[in-house]
């Protein structure tokens, strides 16, 4: 019977955005329909391809490849069976071969190569898709050679500051200590960012492998992944994967029979944006309030519990396996200038085709917003985009031809941050966005510096006065706001206080008409 | 280890008979040897009791060898930890930029009206506590909310009502 009626593999994502759009119910419905109709299916819960407007995106394995249907809702499931979707049948929701969907096809997926394809919790699946090839190669190399490979790849930290990862590792490797740590910064607090979440939920072994390679490279025996409490699905996936990796000796004592040992643990944050800042994160891991430490000493020299510590973002660490597996030259072949490799960018907010786009550095904002994103979801014109999280400036359409590269963005007063792009249509009130930036800083400041702690509260009040005030008063208040921003930039210890002025001033500079009388504004 | 006798006595804090201190002791015992045990301990207590009652502060301080002020300082620093009991379900509405761009403010206003409470408040039937959250990582499909551990994307007012009604029905 099975020869006549082979088992068909069906994929329904388990990524949390897919879940938020009903993927669990769709998976249950597909299983139930198959049972009722007496057909044999194998249902795999894969990760998401990152085309979120199509989620839940159901895929069926056929002789030609994986055929996609989406977005599938509960009421579509019976119809899909009627249309013989298990054999790639035609249906209103049919999208053809998933790999041929332009949004996906035009990407350059190095870090996200497996994401959406495999079952994230299956170690066998991971191994069958080049998983642990990087670690195997690293185990055959000296630790110096591993560090050199990462240095040569040109990989810069993807968490925001863009500091070369290899140099950080080299410092930790060169520091003598009985105990060293690898800490993964999985706090991903920026609005509009979800690539870290996707790695953790949709390919957790890749992060574990990257951290293990980092441990070999610097001589660390223990690691922590600090995940924000807002990501329960990521925490569950990581814990599951850590157990599987440990059982198969990819973690633990004498990894794969080598002399290296590495133990890994997930720690849950507690809803504080500032704990994404690396030293605040270390304080939090130590069980304290997440207050920023003054540097020096660098965490590479005195980090967690005073020991040398590599602290890297999820994507930085997740980029390491492919660099080791394919070599530094392969990786640095992508990108431009001093921004090498690829960046997983995230299209969010008021955008028609929101999702994850991994491309080599050098793609323009316009390509992302229009070619990939398809413009706004509301159909109205785009008025502003905020790139780089809540501390990133708001950019007007006149800057959309800027290439996404750390230096090119900086040259127009922008930043790339963690690659989050939040789109607003023309209904946005930029004075309100500026006020929100100040309010966010006031609520999330760690409290160490006065300009950040108090300045942000004053900032909210001043913006309120500008919006409510008489034109003549507005001139004075706008001058006051600029002075205040100056003080915050110059008097703050970390980027929370020193960069909150970016969204505020960019709103004022690019969208003065939203702050009362435009002409008076410019005069101020 | 020398500990002041007074800090040994949890009864020095107004004791709350509804809190099972024995359960809390077991939790602390389980986690206290972890390096940096504080957050894991607080999470476990909140997961078990729904909040971190003031009456457990002296216990934690004793067991982790810290002052009560330090323990209190940590609890109050983090938005996630609450010091009062919450409603049966926690409703979190995302208020960050990507959700703002697609109507999060209007959703928040609707949620407040529908539940009859402000942020950090609880509906009068004790079922729902409303909390703001700054990004749930679902930013491509906002506005977003989470009830307990269930995520919901592209939440319209109608969808909000349906989800809340379903939670009520599940009691
Ligand atoms: C206020 C603030 C918040 C930050 N939040 C994050 C975060 O959520 N995730 C992250 O990886 N880095 C964040 N960073 C950057 C980290 O401090 C640090 O640069 C990064 O973890 C280093 O890793 P990388 O070199 O791999 O990027 C933040 C920095 C600041 C100042
Ligand atoms: S700038 Fe703000 S968040 Fe950063 S250290 Fe100072 S007070 Fe803390
Ligand atoms: S901004 Fe709302 S989920 Fe990210």
């Amino acid at each position: 019977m099975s020869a006549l009626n082979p088992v068909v593999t069906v994929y329904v994502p388990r990524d949390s955005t897919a879940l938020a759009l009903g993927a669990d119910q769709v998976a249950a419905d597909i299983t139930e329909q198959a049972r009722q109709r007496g057909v044999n299916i194998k249902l795999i819960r894969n990760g998401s391809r990152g085309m979120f407007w199509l989620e839940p995106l159901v895929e069926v394995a056929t002789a030609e490849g994986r055929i996609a249907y989406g977005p599938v809702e509960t009421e579509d499931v019976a119809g899909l069976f009627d249309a013989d979707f298990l054999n790639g049948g035609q249906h209103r929701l049919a999208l053809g071969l998933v790999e041929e969907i332009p949004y996906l096809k035009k990407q350059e997926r190095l870090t996200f190569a497996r994401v959406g394809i495999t079952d994230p919790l299956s170690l066998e699946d991971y191994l069958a898709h080049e998983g642990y090839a990087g670690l195997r190669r690293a185990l055959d190399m000296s630790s110096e050679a591993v560090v050199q490979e990462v240095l040569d790849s040109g990989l810069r930290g993807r968490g925001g500051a863009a500091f070369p990862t290899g140099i950080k590792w080299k410092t930790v490797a060169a520091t003598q200590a009985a105990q060293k740590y690898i800490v993964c910064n999985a706090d991903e607090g920026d609005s509009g960012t979800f690539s870290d979440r996707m790695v953790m939920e949709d390919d957790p072994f890749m992060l574990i492998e990257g951290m293990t390679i980092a441990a070999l490279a610097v001589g660390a025996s223990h690691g922590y992944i600090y995940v924000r409490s807002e990501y329960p699905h990521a925490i569950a996936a990581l814990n599951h994967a850590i157990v599987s990796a440990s059982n198969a000796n990819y973690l633990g004592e004498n990894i794969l029979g080598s002399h290296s040992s590495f133990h890994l643990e997930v720690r849950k944050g507690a809803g504080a944006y500032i704990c994404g800042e690396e030293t605040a994160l270390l304080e939090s891991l130590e069980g304290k309030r997440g207050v920023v430490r003054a540097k020096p000493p660098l965490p590479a020299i005195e980090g967690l519990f005073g020991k040398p510590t590599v602290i890297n973002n999820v994507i930085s660490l997740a980029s390491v396996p492919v660099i080791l597996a394919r070599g530094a030259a392969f990786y640095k072949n992508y990108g431009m200038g001093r921004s090498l490799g690829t960046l997983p960018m995230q299209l969010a907010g008021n955008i028609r085709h929101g999702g994850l786009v991994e491309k080599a550095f050098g793609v323009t904002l316009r390509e992302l917003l229009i070619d990939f994103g398809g413009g706004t979801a509301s159909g109205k014109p785009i008025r502003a985009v905020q790139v780089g999280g809540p501390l990133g400036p708001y950019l007007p359409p006149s800057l959309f031809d800027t290439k996404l590269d750390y230096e090119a963005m900086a040259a127009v007063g922008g930043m790339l941050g963690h690659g989050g792009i939040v789109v607003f249509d023309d209904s946005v009130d930029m004075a309100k966005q500026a006020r929100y930036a100040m309010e966010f800083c006031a609520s999330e400041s760690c409290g160490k510096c006065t300009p950040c702690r108090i300045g942000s509260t004053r900032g909210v009040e001043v913006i309120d006065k500008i919006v409510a005030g008489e034109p003549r008063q507005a001139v004075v208040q706008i001058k006051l706001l600029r002075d205040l921003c100056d003080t915050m930039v110059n008097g703050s210890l970390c980027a929370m206080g020193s960069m909150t002025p970016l969204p505020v001033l960019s709103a004022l500079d690019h969208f003065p008409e939203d702050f009362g009388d435009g002409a008076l504004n410019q005069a101020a | 280890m020398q500990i002041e006798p007074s800090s040994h006595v949890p009864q020095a804090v107004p004791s709350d008979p509804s809190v099972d201190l024995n359960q809390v002791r077991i939790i602390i015992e389980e986690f206290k040897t972890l390096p940096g045990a504080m957050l894991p301990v607080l999470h476990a207590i909140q997961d078990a009791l729904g909040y971190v009652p003031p009456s457990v502060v002296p216990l934690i301080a004793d067991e982790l060898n810290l002052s009560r002020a330090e323990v209190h300082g940590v609890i109050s620093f983090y938005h996630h930890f609450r010091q009062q009991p919450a409603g049966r379900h926690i409703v979190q509405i995302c208020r960050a930029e990507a959700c703002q761009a697609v109507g999060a403010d209007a959703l928040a206003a609707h949620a407040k009206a529908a539940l009859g409470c402000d942020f950090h408040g609880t509906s009068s039937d004790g079922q729902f506590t409303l909390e703001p959250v700054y990004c749930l990582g679902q930013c491509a499909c906002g506005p977003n909310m989470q009830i307990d551990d269930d995520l919901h994307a592209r939440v319209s007012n109608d969808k909000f009502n349906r989800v809340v009604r379903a939670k009520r029905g599940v009691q």
Side-chain angles (χ1 to χ4, degrees):
Chain A
M1 181 200 147
S2 66
L4 293 172
N5 194 6
V7 179
V8 181
T9 306
V10 180
Y11 299 85
V12 181
R14 67 185 320 143
D15 175 276
S16 61
T17 299
L19 298 182
L21 294 164
D24 272 347
Q25 190 56 49
V26 168
D29 293 342
I30 289 175
T31 306
E32 176 57 18
Q33 280 287 329
R35 194 189 60 78
Q36 281 178 17
R37 294 171 190 239
V39 287
N40 254 333
I41 63 163
K42 180 177 175 199
L43 187 84
I44 291 184
R45 303 303 300 271
N46 58 333
S48 172
R49 302 280 188 161
M51 299 183 285
F52 288 124
W53 75 101
L54 296 176
E55 291 290 3
L57 182 74
V58 175
E59 296 176 39
V60 180
T62 71
E64 293 86 66
R66 282 161 68 162
I67 307 270
Y69 298 84
V72 176
E73 295 186 54
T74 286
E75 48 271 29
D76 302 317
V77 172
L80 283 168
F81 276 89
D82 291 342
D84 197 21
F85 87 119
L86 292 179
N87 287 303
Q90 263 316 313
H91 184 276
R92 178 177 57 85
L93 300 177
L95 298 159
L97 288 169
V98 65
E99 314 273 355
E100 294 298 320
I101 298 174
Y103 193 91
L104 199 55
K105 194 177 171 128
K106 284 188 292 186
Q107 299 193 29
E108 291 156 297
R109 288 197 165 188
L110 303 185
T111 307
F112 277 68
R114 255 179 315 266
V115 170
I117 295 176
T118 53
D119 171 355
L121 300 188
S122 162
L123 180 58
E124 295 70 40
D125 221 2
Y126 184 67
L127 294 171
H129 288 82
E130 220 182 318
Y132 279 119
L135 177 69
R136 286 188 182 280
R137 183 159 166 255
L139 282 168
D140 287 336
M141 295 162 68
S142 68
S143 44
E144 293 79 16
V146 176
V147 173
Q148 194 61 42
E149 193 84 48
V150 173
L151 259 178
D152 292 345
S153 74
L155 178 67
R156 292 164 73 181
R158 303 295 192 233
F163 186 79
T165 302
I167 292 182
K168 201 181 266 187
W169 290 20
K170 202 171 180 170
T171 309
V172 176
T175 307
Q176 296 301 317
Q179 170 88 65
K180 299 177 187 179
Y181 294 103
I182 309 294
V183 171
C184 173
N185 185 343
D187 201 55
E188 194 164 68
D190 288 0
S191 164
T193 61
F194 43 79
S195 60
D196 293 355
R197 177 187 68 65
M198 287 183 72
V199 163
M200 294 186 279
E201 290 180 1
D202 301 347
D203 201 6
F205 290 108
M206 173 169 56
L207 174 58
I208 295 170
E209 182 183 350
M211 291 184 74
T212 310
I213 294 169
L216 293 182
V218 305
S221 61
H222 207 104
Y224 293 94
I225 309 175
Y226 183 94
V227 189
R228 63 203 303 254
S229 56
E230 292 86 346
Y231 284 2
H233 297 276
I235 292 171
L238 285 169
N239 278 325
H240 192 289
I242 286 172
V243 170
S244 303
S246 302
N247 289 341
N249 196 215
Y250 287 97
L251 281 175
E253 294 296 320
N254 303 106
I255 292 167
L256 300 181
S258 70
H259 293 297
S260 300
S261 302
F262 184 55
H263 299 267
L264 189 53
E265 211 180 298
V266 174
R267 284 290 174 89
K268 186 162 132 182
Y273 179 78
I274 195 58
C275 289
E277 195 283 334
E278 57 187 12
T279 61
L281 187 153
L282 295 175
E283 291 284 302
S284 183
L285 265 181
E286 290 180 6
K288 303 175 198 151
R289 299 188 301 155
V291 174
V292 174
R293 296 179 185 168
K295 288 188 266 194
L298 292 171
I301 297 178
E302 276 180 45
L304 187 61
F305 303 116
K307 300 288 188 274
T309 301
V310 166
I311 175 161
N312 274 133
N313 168 256
V314 174
I315 302 294
S316 315
L317 289 162
S319 302
V320 168
V322 69
I323 290 170
L324 266 292
R326 302 276 182 106
F330 167 80
Y331 191 78
K332 72 188 280 192
N333 214 8
Y334 293 84
M336 65 176 276
R338 298 204 296 116
S339 304
L340 298 175
T342 58
L343 183 67
M345 281 159 282
Q346 301 124 85
L347 297 177
N350 197 332
I351 183 100
R352 177 137 46 142
H353 296 155
L356 183 108
V357 179
E358 181 175 352
K359 284 289 278 181
F361 287 93
V363 60
T364 67
L365 259 178
R366 192 181 306 280
E367 284 171 81
L368 287 169
L369 295 168
I370 308 302
D371 301 353
F372 284 92
T376 61
S378 61
K380 296 173 165 190
I382 300 178
R383 180 147 182 251
V385 298
Q386 186 177 31
V387 183
L391 309 178
Y394 286 94
L395 306 176
S398 60
L399 293 175
F400 287 178
D401 289 314
T402 310
K403 286 188 190 301
L404 296 188
D405 148 293
Y406 294 114
E407 280 70 38
M409 282 298 280
V412 299
M415 62 183 264
L416 205 37
H418 189 46
I421 300 176
V422 177
V423 182
F424 294 82
D425 73 10
D426 62 7
S427 64
V428 67
D429 173 350
M430 294 306 299
K432 192 168 150 197
Q433 298 309 123
R435 182 188 196 278
Y436 174 80
M438 282 292 190
E439 204 183 0
F440 187 72
C441 181
S443 131
E444 299 300 322
S445 167
C446 85
K448 193 161 185 156
C449 327
T450 313
C452 170
R453 187 181 68 239
I454 310 286
S456 50
T457 302
R458 292 289 98 80
V460 173
E461 295 164 4
V462 173
I463 294 172
D464 282 344
K465 281 188 193 153
I466 293 170
V467 173
E470 300 281 300
R472 272 185 57 81
Q473 230 222 329
V475 177
V476 178
Q477 294 298 330
I478 285 170
K479 184 163 183 312
L480 199 59
L481 182 60
R482 289 187 185 277
D483 279 353
L484 187 62
C485 284
D486 234 36
T487 310
M488 288 174 73
V489 169
N490 295 312
S492 298
L493 184 58
C494 86
M496 183 83 215
S498 68
M499 288 172 65
T500 289
L502 283 180
V504 176
L505 293 175
S506 63
L508 202 52
D509 290 340
H510 296 302
F511 308 93
E513 60 276 20
D514 287 15
F515 292 79
D517 189 319
L520 281 172
N521 253 329
Q522 258 148 2
Chain B
M1 183 174 61
Q2 293 288 316
I3 297 172
E4 293 291 314
S6 68
S7 67
H8 246 335
V9 190
Q11 285 76 5
V13 167
S15 68
D16 178 351
S18 67
V19 176
D20 178 355
L21 287 181
N22 252 337
Q23 188 187 2
V24 174
R25 279 195 194 93
I26 293 167
I27 290 171
I28 300 174
E29 200 56 40
E30 183 183 347
F31 292 100
K32 74 175 198 191
T33 53
L34 286 180
M38 178 82 93
L39 258 56
V41 163
L42 294 175
H43 275 300
I45 292 173
Q46 181 152 309
D47 289 348
L49 306 180
Y51 70 118
V52 182
S55 57
V56 308
V57 169
L59 273 182
I60 300 174
D62 262 13
E63 293 292 323
L64 300 187
N65 203 16
L66 298 164
S67 73
R68 292 173 186 192
E70 281 171 295
V71 177
H72 178 77
V74 172
I75 296 168
S76 56
F77 181 84
Y78 294 98
H79 300 298
H80 180 83
F81 299 123
R82 72 173 66 80
Q83 291 163 267
Q84 277 94 41
R88 185 184 292 250
H89 304 289
I90 309 293
V91 180
Q92 293 181 302
I93 307 262
C94 176
R95 306 189 67 196
E97 291 90 339
C99 285
Q100 287 169 22
V102 285
D105 287 352
L107 176 63
H110 173 77
K112 288 182 195 174
L115 299 179
C117 62
D118 207 335
F119 280 119
H120 308 295
T122 299
S123 59
S124 59
D125 61 1
Q127 290 296 314
F128 300 98
T129 292
L130 186 63
E131 298 283 357
V133 63
Y134 294 89
C135 193
L136 294 161
Q138 317 296 329
C139 331
C141 299
N144 297 304
M145 69 187 264
Q146 185 163 358
I147 298 198
D148 306 328
D149 269 356
D150 303 330
L151 283 161
H152 300 277
R154 288 198 207 103
V155 183
S156 60
N157 292 355
D158 276 353
K159 190 166 181 177
F160 177 89
N161 296 344
R162 256 183 283 129
V163 169
V164 163
R165 222 179 292 127
K167 275 283 175 191
R168 275 214 166 92
V170 174
Q171 303 314 311

